[in-house]
Amino acid sequence: MKHHPLMFITPNLPLADLVPLVSDYLSGGGKWLQLRLKDCHPDEIIKTSTEMKAMCHKVGAVFIINDHPDIAKAVQADGVHLGKKDTPVSQAREILGEEYIIGGTANTVEDMIFLAESGVDYIGLGPFRFTSTKKILSPIIGLEGYAERMKRFREAGFETPVTAIGGILLDDVEAIMSTGVNGIAVSGVLAKNENIIEITKQFASKTTHKYINHE
């Protein structure tokens, strides 16, 4: 699996607004997109997923869907990301098989180890700070929290890539990457920017020095 150091998670916007947003992200060099559609009808998710997948694959970007492993398989996405209350990893793997990417959300070292042992391909660890993107937020981690969790996780012998998430701004990237995480995920900070292409390039350049490629 290729683990890209920058992921964009689509914010909670009308579907019509997501297309230009994603287009700009991809134009800025983004290579990893997570489509997060909460409270949407499955037909809408399928329609949007099909369109987003085509956009991503046209430029060689990885396309994953938040939850919905059945839809991910139906539209032949690259994988799914599972929140703590979403489909269990084992069930998603049963639906998708080994060739699909499965990511999971963690807040504690115990979460991380559980996910790694469940066979996820990457872990989304957060939140870094408060974010209005999610309705129910786990305890804030902060820089020290990332450093401590990454140290304990790696010392326990786990090599699963870890992506930091939750309210991350451009000025945070270098410090967060120095804690040992493999990448960052952004959402609102991109969506609210007037020049999404340019800020994507800036985020990408700050994360590429830690680029890893897991085959």
Side-chain angles (χ1 to χ4, degrees):
M1 166 203 156
K2 286 185 177 180
H3 181 277
H4 296 284
L6 177 65
M7 175 193 279
F8 178 44
I9 302 170
T10 59
N12 191 20
L13 290 173
L15 300 182
D17 295 339
L18 289 180
V19 173
L21 198 60
V22 169
S23 178
D24 282 355
Y25 167 69
L26 297 172
S27 296
K31 291 294 182 186
W32 195 10
L33 178 75
Q34 180 188 148
L35 179 65
R36 188 172 184 269
L37 295 176
K38 295 295 183 184
D39 311 317
C40 276
H41 190 277
D43 288 348
E44 286 184 305
I45 299 173
I46 289 170
K47 182 176 181 291
T48 309
S49 297
T50 303
E51 189 169 353
M52 295 292 175
K53 185 195 85 166
M55 291 169 69
C56 286
H57 286 189
K58 190 175 179 181
V59 295
V62 173
F63 173 69
I64 64 173
I65 298 172
N66 188 279
D67 199 12
H68 306 295
D70 49 341
I71 293 176
K73 187 163 190 179
V75 303
Q76 294 187 304
D78 296 302
V80 293
H81 182 90
L82 305 171
K84 284 188 170 188
K85 294 183 178 178
D86 291 341
T87 310
V89 174
S90 57
Q91 192 178 324
R93 186 63 77 193
E94 206 170 287
I95 294 166
L96 295 170
E98 292 300 320
E99 68 271 22
Y100 282 77
I101 298 166
I102 296 179
T105 297
N107 179 253
T108 65
V109 175
E110 290 73 25
D111 292 340
M112 297 167 76
I113 289 171
F114 175 77
L115 286 171
E117 289 179 339
S118 299
V120 296
D121 297 293
Y122 76 91
I123 293 166
L125 179 63
F128 171 64
R129 66 160 61 87
F130 175 80
T131 172
S132 58
T133 309
K134 294 198 78 173
K135 291 176 186 174
I136 302 168
L137 207 62
S138 296
I140 305 299
I141 293 175
L143 275 178
E144 288 183 11
Y146 276 104
E148 179 257 344
R149 285 162 175 74
M150 290 306 300
K151 184 171 185 286
R152 286 175 58 193
F153 187 59
R154 297 297 183 225
E155 283 178 351
F158 295 101
E159 296 181 1
T160 309
V162 176
T163 296
I165 182 173
I168 297 169
L169 304 175
L170 198 58
D171 289 345
D172 301 320
V173 176
E174 287 177 33
I176 293 174
M177 295 297 284
S178 71
T179 65
V181 300
N182 306 103
I184 64 156
V186 292
S187 184
V189 67
L190 249 66
K192 293 170 187 170
N193 198 279
E194 289 181 4
N195 192 336
I196 295 162
I197 295 174
E198 183 55 36
I199 197 168
T200 298
K201 287 178 181 176
Q202 290 175 18
F203 268 107
S205 70
K206 279 180 178 280
T207 54
T208 43
H209 70 284
K210 291 286 287 187
Y211 185 87
I212 59 168
N213 187 359
H214 284 262
E215 296 294 351

